[in-house]
């Protein structure tokens, strides 16, 4: 199943590890240009910090990735942060972890753990939206059958996008790509063929 998640609204979280303060900002972005612009804002806001490390994935197929240790030992900040985003399939999202050094050195393993924990903690508190590659279709049925058809869509894990009422009821809906044919067959059987199903497109659709 093709799926990704994205942070819906910016969030800032803070944790303290051995006297060092780690402030994580998660920001939704649409491309690398926006990611870099948002990163500049964070760097300006926390210009007095010891480090402003970051990672982001700026497209939905996870091929556009950037990260930086920003002065931390190589491989102890940016890559661990990026790995969290990749493993949790969080794309089109910028993660910036700002560190204020507290006087206690963490060592390489400690830094990897701290930056990983910072991003994980922020994601656990973030509002995430799930996007699934889906088939979008429209079903035209009679008024008496429409409620059952809507229920069948929901039972398949699909989403009713819109409903229009005219001489019949037109339900625009999405369902995971691999389930679309099975759902269509069941709806046709239930309606004894008295249903018109129109293909609209295939695309990523958000399932909150």
């Amino acid at each position: 199943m093709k799926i990704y998640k994205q942070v819906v609204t910016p969030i800032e979280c803070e944790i303290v590890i051995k006297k060092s303060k780690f402030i994580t900002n998660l920001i939704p972005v649409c491309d690398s240009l926006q990611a870099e612009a948002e990163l500049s804002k964070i760097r300006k806001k926390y210009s007095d910090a010891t480090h402003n490390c970051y990672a982001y994935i700026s497209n939905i197929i996870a091929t556009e990735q950037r990260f930086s240790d920003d002065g931390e030992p190589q491989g102890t900040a940016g890559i661990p942060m990026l790995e969290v985003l990749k493993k949790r399939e969080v794309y089109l999202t910028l993660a910036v972890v700002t560190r204020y050094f507290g006087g206690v050195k963490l060592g390489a393993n400690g830094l990897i753990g701290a930056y990983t924990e910072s991003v994980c903690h922020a994601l656990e508190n973030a509002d995430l939206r799930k996007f699934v590659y889906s088939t979008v279709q429209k079903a035209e049925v009679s008024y008496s059958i429409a409620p059952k058809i809507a229920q069948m869509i929901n039972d398949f894990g699909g989403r009713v996008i819109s409903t229009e009422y005219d001489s019949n009821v037109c339900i625009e809906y999405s369902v995971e790509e691999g389930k679309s044919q099975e759902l269509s067959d069941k709806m046709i059987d239930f309606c004894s063929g008295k249903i018109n199903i129109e293909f609209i497109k295939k695309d990523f659709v958000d399932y909150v």
Side-chain angles (χ1 to χ4, degrees):
M1 179 171 65
K2 298 177 182 178
I3 181 175
Y4 74 91
K5 306 179 192 73
Q6 182 186 26
V7 171
V8 177
T9 55
I11 183 174
E12 181 174 292
C13 293
E14 179 182 320
I15 61 175
V16 176
I17 300 175
K18 293 185 177 180
K19 298 183 179 181
S20 279
K21 182 163 63 175
F22 293 84
I23 303 169
T24 302
N25 277 272
L26 298 178
I27 303 170
V29 296
C30 62
D31 53 32
S32 60
L33 291 177
Q34 185 182 5
E36 292 294 333
E38 294 295 339
L39 175 60
S40 295
K41 293 177 185 177
I42 297 297
R43 283 173 166 163
K44 184 177 181 180
K45 179 179 179 180
Y46 294 110
S47 59
D48 62 335
T50 314
H51 307 280
N52 283 295
C53 306
Y54 72 87
Y56 65 79
I57 300 172
S58 55
N59 65 353
I60 61 176
I61 56 175
T63 56
E64 295 178 0
Q65 306 173 6
R66 290 189 180 179
F67 60 88
S68 172
D69 297 314
D70 193 39
E72 292 282 30
Q74 185 176 358
T76 61
I79 290 180
M81 293 168 61
L82 181 64
E83 285 302 310
V84 174
L85 296 180
K86 289 166 62 177
K87 288 179 180 178
R88 299 203 179 192
E89 298 175 305
V90 180
Y91 307 156
L92 297 177
T93 298
L94 165 69
V96 185
V97 178
T98 299
R99 182 189 182 191
Y100 286 90
F101 182 57
V104 179
K105 292 185 177 181
L106 301 181
N109 289 336
L111 287 171
I112 292 170
Y115 282 99
T116 298
E117 182 181 347
S118 296
V119 178
C120 287
H121 175 71
L123 285 173
E124 287 165 3
N125 289 276
D127 183 10
L128 294 174
R129 181 166 292 168
K130 182 174 73 172
F131 293 82
V132 180
Y133 193 68
S134 304
T135 299
V136 181
Q137 295 177 300
K138 181 180 289 186
E140 182 180 352
V141 294
S142 66
Y143 276 72
S144 61
I145 295 175
K148 179 60 179 177
I149 293 299
Q151 184 60 53
M152 291 176 69
I153 293 168
N154 289 329
D155 290 344
F156 263 72
R159 173 190 166 192
V160 174
I161 298 172
S162 65
T163 306
E164 298 178 2
Y165 299 91
D166 199 348
S167 56
N168 285 316
V169 180
C170 290
I171 303 172
E172 184 176 332
Y173 64 94
S174 63
V175 66
E176 180 188 330
E177 183 187 20
K179 296 180 178 179
S180 61
Q181 188 59 56
E182 183 182 358
L183 175 57
S184 294
D185 291 344
K186 285 187 176 295
M187 291 194 297
I188 291 170
D189 288 344
F190 176 77
C191 299
S192 300
K194 296 178 181 179
I195 181 173
N196 181 40
I197 300 175
E198 175 188 349
F199 171 81
I200 298 177
K201 63 179 179 178
K202 291 186 178 181
D203 201 355
F204 281 96
V205 177
D206 59 314
Y207 292 76
V208 179

